[in-house]
Amino acid sequence: MDFDLPEPVRELAAQARAVAVELAAEAHLPEDSWLIGNDRDVARELGARKWLGMTWPVAEGGHGRSPLERFVVFEQLIANGAPIASSWFADRQIGPTLLQFGSPAQRRRFLPDIVAGTSAWCIGMSEPDAGSDVASLRTRAIPHGDGWRITGRKVWTSGAAHADWCYLVARTDPDAPPHAGLSEFLVDMRSPGVIVSPIVDMTGNQHFCEVVFDDVAVPGDLLVGAPNGSFKQLMRQMEHERGGIDRLVSNRALYIEARAHADHDDPLVRQEIAALESTYHIGRLLVLREMLGQAPKGFSAATKTICTEHEQRVARFCGRVAGTQAMLWNRVSRSICYAPGYTLMGGTTQILRNILGERVLGLPREPR
Ligand SMILES: Cc1cc2nc3c(=O)[nH]c(=O)nc-3n(C[C@H](O)[C@H](O)[C@H](O)COP(=O)(O)OP(=O)(O)OC[C@H]3O[C@@H](n4cnc5c(N)ncnc54)[C@H](O)[C@@H]3O)c2cc1C
């Protein structure tokens, strides 16, 4: 059996790698480039290369390419540190969500700019008192004329300071059971009443933000899918968010450098490298299975857990290889400080293990 990728796909991967290396050379950092590497020119370049909306139907403005082709392009871009954050959320999950749940008018209006790399999006789910438990979120959308007025506070909103649009979840029916009263909106970040305050993280970076919505007017045609039907839509959107290659290779560039400097004569180091290589290859196969639509429903919870725990082990390995150098502020120490976020964002490992146990494996719940 031939496990290698087909020749044209290998050629595409080589092309993407060359582009990524060039883009990364201009960038601030190769690590976590899909999340913190905001660069609108890079987004437009990806659009011009037809690398955005790659697998979306041609009739919807996409390029009709195969999931495998998209997989190798983004594996190379992210593993080599191309700063793709300005287009990543839209390409990874907003576009696919609009394709599935958006109205024809919404798809006609928003997909072309996403495919061209000219609109940047952020995701407004988490709130100060609603992270893991999205159903408890309090941001309210109240009917007003033909549209809505939205008031509330979102937090940890990645890329909000650069975004043109926010994919926002808000409560539309306060009397319904918590998970049944939520709806999704496309909110123009330039609307009066949107206040964005960047938050400085432990590494000094300011990629995520607090976003206040103070009586923001949203037209009625910008509600996505079913009114009060967000919960089901969100579950689908999270599959896009959790099962991708971004969860495996965020710090791959640093690992490759550390591996080259590691003491290969030390059997313990060799053993650690062997374990990291094995989990990397298992993770890559799991992501491929997600991309090809072969993973069981809900299994992205396992894929993300395995992949992001691998990224954390990579950060620790790089720290051990660097030794006392890791006490200084540099790429390694930054990576160690950043790593806890891998198993928080997109759903914490504890929550994902709950999903896996209860919804995927159907294990009995412990009686309360
Ligand atoms: C780098 C980064 C980027 C992010 N970007 C975005 C973004 O763009 N948009 C957005 O909306 N959000 C974003 N988030 C927020 C992220 O989705 C939340 O941090 C995450 O869902 C957890 O929510 P919380 O922080 O409120 O923690 P909590 O939900 O308060 O959880 C605290 C701890 O309790 C545990 N816990 C909670 N409930 C249970 C349970 N039922 N069983 C077992 N353990 C439990 C959790 O696992 C965690 O360890 C980002 C977070 C990070 C770190």
Side-chain angles (χ1 to χ4, degrees):
M1 193 178 282
D2 185 2
F3 281 102
D4 214 345
L5 296 170
E7 180 60 25
V9 179
R10 285 210 304 270
E11 277 170 22
L12 180 63
Q15 194 192 337
R17 183 183 154 75
V19 171
V21 168
E22 207 171 296
L23 293 174
E26 304 285 311
H28 166 58
L29 258 183
E31 282 72 59
D32 308 301
S33 63
W34 61 269
L35 191 59
I36 64 173
N38 271 295
D39 187 326
R40 305 290 289 235
D41 291 339
V42 169
R44 277 189 288 272
E45 173 163 356
L46 298 187
R49 287 182 180 277
K50 302 193 173 166
W51 286 352
L52 298 177
M54 272 181 89
T55 59
W56 305 351
V58 174
E60 298 280 3
H63 301 300
R65 306 282 291 265
S66 71
L68 198 55
E69 289 173 300
R70 178 173 181 269
F71 170 82
V72 296
V73 165
F74 283 96
E75 178 179 42
Q76 293 301 329
L77 289 173
I78 297 171
N80 290 294
I84 62 162
S86 296
S87 56
W88 182 237
F89 301 137
D91 187 64
R92 178 182 71 182
Q93 68 193 86
I94 309 303
T97 299
L98 290 176
L99 282 169
Q100 189 171 6
F101 299 110
S103 67
Q106 287 168 351
R107 299 203 302 271
R108 274 195 304 276
R109 176 170 172 193
F110 292 104
L111 294 181
D113 287 345
I114 295 177
V115 170
T118 52
S119 73
W121 288 69
C122 61
I123 302 161
M125 289 184 205
S126 307
E127 297 183 2
D129 295 315
S132 301
D133 183 15
V134 180
S136 63
L137 65 80
R138 291 190 196 154
T139 294
R140 279 281 278 128
I142 297 171
H144 183 89
D146 292 340
W148 301 84
R149 290 276 181 179
I150 297 185
T151 297
R153 185 184 297 263
K154 297 288 173 181
V155 77
W156 320 126
T157 318
S158 298
H162 307 272
D164 303 304
W165 291 89
C166 179
Y167 197 97
L168 180 107
V169 185
R171 187 164 301 286
T172 35
D173 184 352
D175 301 323
H179 65 279
L182 305 175
S183 302
E184 297 175 6
F185 297 91
L186 309 175
V187 181
D188 186 339
M189 291 295 280
R190 284 167 297 243
S191 309
V194 177
I195 304 152
V196 179
S197 311
I199 301 170
V200 183
D201 73 14
M202 199 159 46
T203 71
N205 186 274
Q206 301 191 13
H207 88 277
F208 52 28
C209 306
E210 180 192 64
V211 187
V212 172
F213 296 86
D214 182 9
D215 200 27
V216 174
V218 176
D221 60 356
L222 294 187
L223 185 149
V224 181
N228 301 318
S230 166
F231 213 72
K232 188 177 130 239
Q233 295 176 197
L234 267 188
M235 295 304 108
R236 183 69 196 105
Q237 186 175 151
M238 295 316 283
E239 297 271 304
H240 296 301
E241 181 168 349
R242 289 174 180 154
I245 193 68
D246 46 336
R247 303 299 180 179
L248 182 67
V249 297
S250 302
N251 50 8
R252 183 91 187 141
L254 190 64
Y255 168 70
I256 301 291
E257 285 180 33
R259 192 181 61 186
H261 290 103
D263 179 3
H264 291 245
D265 293 330
D266 182 335
L268 290 178
V269 173
R270 283 208 306 273
Q271 226 167 48
E272 196 174 354
I273 292 175
L276 287 171
E277 293 292 331
S278 314
T279 35
Y280 167 69
H281 285 285
I282 292 167
R284 191 169 180 273
L285 286 176
L286 293 177
V287 171
L288 260 171
R289 211 166 60 141
E290 301 281 348
M291 297 293 97
L292 298 176
Q294 295 173 354
K297 196 160 175 279
F299 197 81
S300 63
T303 302
K304 181 184 178 265
T305 299
I306 290 168
C307 292
T308 52
E309 288 185 351
H310 167 78
E311 290 179 316
Q312 286 180 336
R313 279 194 294 273
V314 162
R316 287 197 291 274
F317 169 77
C318 296
R320 275 194 290 281
V321 171
T324 50
Q325 292 288 319
M327 307 285 284
L328 304 173
W329 190 245
N330 51 36
R331 271 171 69 201
V332 174
S333 40
R334 191 212 78 91
S335 185
I336 292 168
C337 291
Y338 197 80
Y342 293 139
T343 53
L344 294 175
M345 56 178 133
T348 72
T349 288
Q350 291 78 11
I351 294 299
L352 298 184
R353 285 199 159 97
N354 285 351
I355 292 175
L356 202 58
E358 290 169 9
R359 289 198 228 142
V360 182
L361 298 174
L363 301 177
R365 292 186 76 143
E366 211 172 288
R368 288 175 193 244

PDB file of all heavy atoms in Angstrom, residues 198-218:
ATOM      1  N   PRO A 198      -8.022  45.614  23.580  1.00  0.00           N
ATOM      2  CA  PRO A 198      -7.089  44.480  23.554  1.00  0.00           C
ATOM      3  C   PRO A 198      -6.654  44.077  24.962  1.00  0.00           C
ATOM      4  O   PRO A 198      -6.554  44.917  25.855  1.00  0.00           O
ATOM      5  CB  PRO A 198      -5.903  45.014  22.753  1.00  0.00           C
ATOM      6  CG  PRO A 198      -6.479  46.115  21.916  1.00  0.00           C
ATOM      7  CD  PRO A 198      -7.550  46.739  22.775  1.00  0.00           C
ATOM      8  N   ILE A 199      -6.441  42.770  25.148  1.00  0.00           N
ATOM      9  CA  ILE A 199      -5.978  42.229  26.428  1.00  0.00           C
ATOM     10  C   ILE A 199      -4.547  41.744  26.224  1.00  0.00           C
ATOM     11  O   ILE A 199      -4.269  41.036  25.257  1.00  0.00           O
ATOM     12  CB  ILE A 199      -6.852  41.025  26.864  1.00  0.00           C
ATOM     13  CG1 ILE A 199      -8.321  41.441  26.989  1.00  0.00           C
ATOM     14  CG2 ILE A 199      -6.335  40.401  28.151  1.00  0.00           C
ATOM     15  CD1 ILE A 199      -9.285  40.268  27.184  1.00  0.00           C
ATOM     16  N   VAL A 200      -3.660  42.112  27.134  1.00  0.00           N
ATOM     17  CA  VAL A 200      -2.262  41.663  27.024  1.00  0.00           C
ATOM     18  C   VAL A 200      -2.154  40.298  27.683  1.00  0.00           C
ATOM     19  O   VAL A 200      -2.541  40.127  28.837  1.00  0.00           O
ATOM     20  CB  VAL A 200      -1.311  42.656  27.730  1.00  0.00           C
ATOM     21  CG1 VAL A 200       0.149  42.221  27.540  1.00  0.00           C
ATOM     22  CG2 VAL A 200      -1.525  44.067  27.201  1.00  0.00           C
ATOM     23  N   ASP A 201      -1.640  39.308  26.935  1.00  0.00           N
ATOM     24  CA  ASP A 201      -1.498  37.979  27.545  1.00  0.00           C
ATOM     25  C   ASP A 201      -0.128  37.840  28.216  1.00  0.00           C
ATOM     26  O   ASP A 201       0.669  38.781  28.232  1.00  0.00           O
ATOM     27  CB  ASP A 201      -1.787  36.867  26.519  1.00  0.00           C
ATOM     28  CG  ASP A 201      -0.675  36.697  25.489  1.00  0.00           C
ATOM     29  OD1 ASP A 201       0.435  37.226  25.685  1.00  0.00           O
ATOM     30  OD2 ASP A 201      -0.915  36.022  24.468  1.00  0.00           O
ATOM     31  N   MET A 202       0.134  36.632  28.751  1.00  0.00           N
ATOM     32  CA  MET A 202       1.349  36.403  29.540  1.00  0.00           C
ATOM     33  C   MET A 202       2.623  36.601  28.714  1.00  0.00           C
ATOM     34  O   MET A 202       3.695  36.834  29.257  1.00  0.00           O
ATOM     35  CB  MET A 202       1.282  34.965  30.070  1.00  0.00           C
ATOM     36  CG  MET A 202       2.170  34.694  31.219  1.00  0.00           C
ATOM     37  SD  MET A 202       1.662  33.266  32.178  1.00  0.00           S
ATOM     38  CE  MET A 202       1.318  32.008  31.012  1.00  0.00           C
ATOM     39  N   THR A 203       2.508  36.513  27.384  1.00  0.00           N
ATOM     40  CA  THR A 203       3.693  36.667  26.540  1.00  0.00           C
ATOM     41  C   THR A 203       3.873  38.127  26.087  1.00  0.00           C
ATOM     42  O   THR A 203       4.784  38.426  25.326  1.00  0.00           O
ATOM     43  CB  THR A 203       3.587  35.780  25.280  1.00  0.00           C
ATOM     44  OG1 THR A 203       2.590  36.332  24.421  1.00  0.00           O
ATOM     45  CG2 THR A 203       3.239  34.348  25.625  1.00  0.00           C
ATOM     46  N   GLY A 204       2.948  39.001  26.507  1.00  0.00           N
ATOM     47  CA  GLY A 204       3.025  40.402  26.086  1.00  0.00           C
ATOM     48  C   GLY A 204       2.259  40.660  24.797  1.00  0.00           C
ATOM     49  O   GLY A 204       2.164  41.785  24.333  1.00  0.00           O
ATOM     50  N   ASN A 205       1.690  39.600  24.226  1.00  0.00           N
ATOM     51  CA  ASN A 205       0.953  39.752  22.974  1.00  0.00           C
ATOM     52  C   ASN A 205      -0.455  40.299  23.247  1.00  0.00           C
ATOM     53  O   ASN A 205      -1.000  40.099  24.316  1.00  0.00           O
ATOM     54  CB  ASN A 205       0.878  38.384  22.279  1.00  0.00           C
ATOM     55  CG  ASN A 205       0.266  38.491  20.905  1.00  0.00           C
ATOM     56  OD1 ASN A 205      -0.943  38.445  20.753  1.00  0.00           O
ATOM     57  ND2 ASN A 205       1.102  38.657  19.902  1.00  0.00           N
ATOM     58  N   GLN A 206      -1.028  40.953  22.233  1.00  0.00           N
ATOM     59  CA  GLN A 206      -2.368  41.528  22.432  1.00  0.00           C
ATOM     60  C   GLN A 206      -3.328  41.013  21.371  1.00  0.00           C
ATOM     61  O   GLN A 206      -4.067  41.782  20.789  1.00  0.00           O
ATOM     62  CB  GLN A 206      -2.321  43.038  22.314  1.00  0.00           C
ATOM     63  CG  GLN A 206      -1.412  43.687  23.294  1.00  0.00           C
ATOM     64  CD  GLN A 206      -1.606  45.196  23.317  1.00  0.00           C
ATOM     65  OE1 GLN A 206      -2.565  45.732  22.787  1.00  0.00           O
ATOM     66  NE2 GLN A 206      -0.692  45.882  23.958  1.00  0.00           N
ATOM     67  N   HIS A 207      -3.297  39.704  21.091  1.00  0.00           N
ATOM     68  CA  HIS A 207      -4.134  39.262  19.970  1.00  0.00           C
ATOM     69  C   HIS A 207      -5.605  39.127  20.362  1.00  0.00           C
ATOM     70  O   HIS A 207      -6.478  39.280  19.544  1.00  0.00           O
ATOM     71  CB  HIS A 207      -3.622  37.949  19.376  1.00  0.00           C
ATOM     72  CG  HIS A 207      -4.169  36.737  20.034  1.00  0.00           C
ATOM     73  ND1 HIS A 207      -3.638  36.217  21.183  1.00  0.00           N
ATOM     74  CD2 HIS A 207      -5.236  35.974  19.728  1.00  0.00           C
ATOM     75  CE1 HIS A 207      -4.356  35.172  21.534  1.00  0.00           C
ATOM     76  NE2 HIS A 207      -5.317  34.993  20.681  1.00  0.00           N
ATOM     77  N   PHE A 208      -5.892  38.830  21.649  1.00  0.00           N
ATOM     78  CA  PHE A 208      -7.318  38.728  21.988  1.00  0.00           C
ATOM     79  C   PHE A 208      -7.796  39.955  22.761  1.00  0.00           C
ATOM     80  O   PHE A 208      -7.002  40.753  23.245  1.00  0.00           O
ATOM     81  CB  PHE A 208      -7.728  37.414  22.632  1.00  0.00           C
ATOM     82  CG  PHE A 208      -6.956  36.932  23.824  1.00  0.00           C
ATOM     83  CD1 PHE A 208      -6.332  37.789  24.668  1.00  0.00           C
ATOM     84  CD2 PHE A 208      -6.906  35.566  24.098  1.00  0.00           C
ATOM     85  CE1 PHE A 208      -5.654  37.326  25.784  1.00  0.00           C
ATOM     86  CE2 PHE A 208      -6.228  35.091  25.209  1.00  0.00           C
ATOM     87  CZ  PHE A 208      -5.601  35.979  26.045  1.00  0.00           C
ATOM     88  N   CYS A 209      -9.124  40.113  22.807  1.00  0.00           N
ATOM     89  CA  CYS A 209      -9.694  41.389  23.245  1.00  0.00           C
ATOM     90  C   CYS A 209     -10.945  41.170  24.085  1.00  0.00           C
ATOM     91  O   CYS A 209     -11.584  40.122  24.011  1.00  0.00           O
ATOM     92  CB  CYS A 209     -10.134  42.221  22.043  1.00  0.00           C
ATOM     93  SG  CYS A 209      -8.862  42.469  20.816  1.00  0.00           S
ATOM     94  N   GLU A 210     -11.286  42.226  24.809  1.00  0.00           N
ATOM     95  CA  GLU A 210     -12.634  42.315  25.364  1.00  0.00           C
ATOM     96  C   GLU A 210     -13.441  43.168  24.393  1.00  0.00           C
ATOM     97  O   GLU A 210     -12.935  44.193  23.913  1.00  0.00           O
ATOM     98  CB  GLU A 210     -12.595  43.000  26.726  1.00  0.00           C
ATOM     99  CG  GLU A 210     -13.959  43.133  27.348  1.00  0.00           C
ATOM    100  CD  GLU A 210     -13.947  44.070  28.545  1.00  0.00           C
ATOM    101  OE1 GLU A 210     -13.662  45.278  28.341  1.00  0.00           O
ATOM    102  OE2 GLU A 210     -14.220  43.620  29.651  1.00  0.00           O
ATOM    103  N   VAL A 211     -14.656  42.740  24.088  1.00  0.00           N
ATOM    104  CA  VAL A 211     -15.473  43.523  23.157  1.00  0.00           C
ATOM    105  C   VAL A 211     -16.827  43.793  23.815  1.00  0.00           C
ATOM    106  O   VAL A 211     -17.549  42.865  24.178  1.00  0.00           O
ATOM    107  CB  VAL A 211     -15.709  42.775  21.817  1.00  0.00           C
ATOM    108  CG1 VAL A 211     -16.412  43.701  20.824  1.00  0.00           C
ATOM    109  CG2 VAL A 211     -14.393  42.284  21.225  1.00  0.00           C
ATOM    110  N   VAL A 212     -17.123  45.084  23.968  1.00  0.00           N
ATOM    111  CA  VAL A 212     -18.413  45.474  24.541  1.00  0.00           C
ATOM    112  C   VAL A 212     -19.355  45.859  23.397  1.00  0.00           C
ATOM    113  O   VAL A 212     -18.953  46.574  22.475  1.00  0.00           O
ATOM    114  CB  VAL A 212     -18.223  46.659  25.518  1.00  0.00           C
ATOM    115  CG1 VAL A 212     -19.570  47.214  25.967  1.00  0.00           C
ATOM    116  CG2 VAL A 212     -17.387  46.224  26.713  1.00  0.00           C
ATOM    117  N   PHE A 213     -20.571  45.341  23.458  1.00  0.00           N
ATOM    118  CA  PHE A 213     -21.610  45.713  22.492  1.00  0.00           C
ATOM    119  C   PHE A 213     -22.640  46.510  23.266  1.00  0.00           C
ATOM    120  O   PHE A 213     -23.315  45.967  24.152  1.00  0.00           O
ATOM    121  CB  PHE A 213     -22.241  44.456  21.868  1.00  0.00           C
ATOM    122  CG  PHE A 213     -21.255  43.651  21.053  1.00  0.00           C
ATOM    123  CD1 PHE A 213     -20.438  42.705  21.668  1.00  0.00           C
ATOM    124  CD2 PHE A 213     -21.122  43.865  19.690  1.00  0.00           C
ATOM    125  CE1 PHE A 213     -19.518  41.977  20.932  1.00  0.00           C
ATOM    126  CE2 PHE A 213     -20.190  43.138  18.943  1.00  0.00           C
ATOM    127  CZ  PHE A 213     -19.388  42.195  19.574  1.00  0.00           C
ATOM    128  N   ASP A 214     -22.703  47.791  22.964  1.00  0.00           N
ATOM    129  CA  ASP A 214     -23.566  48.681  23.732  1.00  0.00           C
ATOM    130  C   ASP A 214     -24.731  49.131  22.835  1.00  0.00           C
ATOM    131  O   ASP A 214     -24.605  50.094  22.105  1.00  0.00           O
ATOM    132  CB  ASP A 214     -22.735  49.878  24.221  1.00  0.00           C
ATOM    133  CG  ASP A 214     -23.559  50.822  25.076  1.00  0.00           C
ATOM    134  OD1 ASP A 214     -24.707  50.463  25.434  1.00  0.00           O
ATOM    135  OD2 ASP A 214     -23.066  51.935  25.368  1.00  0.00           O
ATOM    136  N   ASP A 215     -25.827  48.373  22.909  1.00  0.00           N
ATOM    137  CA  ASP A 215     -27.019  48.711  22.132  1.00  0.00           C
ATOM    138  C   ASP A 215     -26.697  48.830  20.633  1.00  0.00           C
ATOM    139  O   ASP A 215     -27.055  49.801  19.979  1.00  0.00           O
ATOM    140  CB  ASP A 215     -27.611  50.028  22.677  1.00  0.00           C
ATOM    141  CG  ASP A 215     -29.064  50.196  22.273  1.00  0.00           C
ATOM    142  OD1 ASP A 215     -29.740  49.174  22.056  1.00  0.00           O
ATOM    143  OD2 ASP A 215     -29.512  51.348  22.164  1.00  0.00           O
ATOM    144  N   VAL A 216     -26.009  47.821  20.129  1.00  0.00           N
ATOM    145  CA  VAL A 216     -25.559  47.841  18.725  1.00  0.00           C
ATOM    146  C   VAL A 216     -26.697  47.392  17.812  1.00  0.00           C
ATOM    147  O   VAL A 216     -27.302  46.333  18.029  1.00  0.00           O
ATOM    148  CB  VAL A 216     -24.333  46.911  18.550  1.00  0.00           C
ATOM    149  CG1 VAL A 216     -23.943  46.809  17.077  1.00  0.00           C
ATOM    150  CG2 VAL A 216     -23.166  47.414  19.394  1.00  0.00           C
ATOM    151  N   ALA A 217     -26.978  48.197  16.786  1.00  0.00           N
ATOM    152  CA  ALA A 217     -28.062  47.864  15.842  1.00  0.00           C
ATOM    153  C   ALA A 217     -27.562  46.849  14.819  1.00  0.00           C
ATOM    154  O   ALA A 217     -26.504  47.045  14.209  1.00  0.00           O
ATOM    155  CB  ALA A 217     -28.523  49.139  15.135  1.00  0.00           C
ATOM    156  N   VAL A 218     -28.310  45.761  14.666  1.00  0.00           N
ATOM    157  CA  VAL A 218     -27.954  44.732  13.672  1.00  0.00           C
ATOM    158  C   VAL A 218     -29.189  44.473  12.802  1.00  0.00           C
ATOM    159  O   VAL A 218     -30.262  44.150  13.328  1.00  0.00           O
ATOM    160  CB  VAL A 218     -27.509  43.415  14.368  1.00  0.00           C
ATOM    161  CG1 VAL A 218     -27.227  42.331  13.332  1.00  0.00           C
ATOM    162  CG2 VAL A 218     -26.275  43.656  15.227  1.00  0.00           C
TER     163      VAL A 218
END
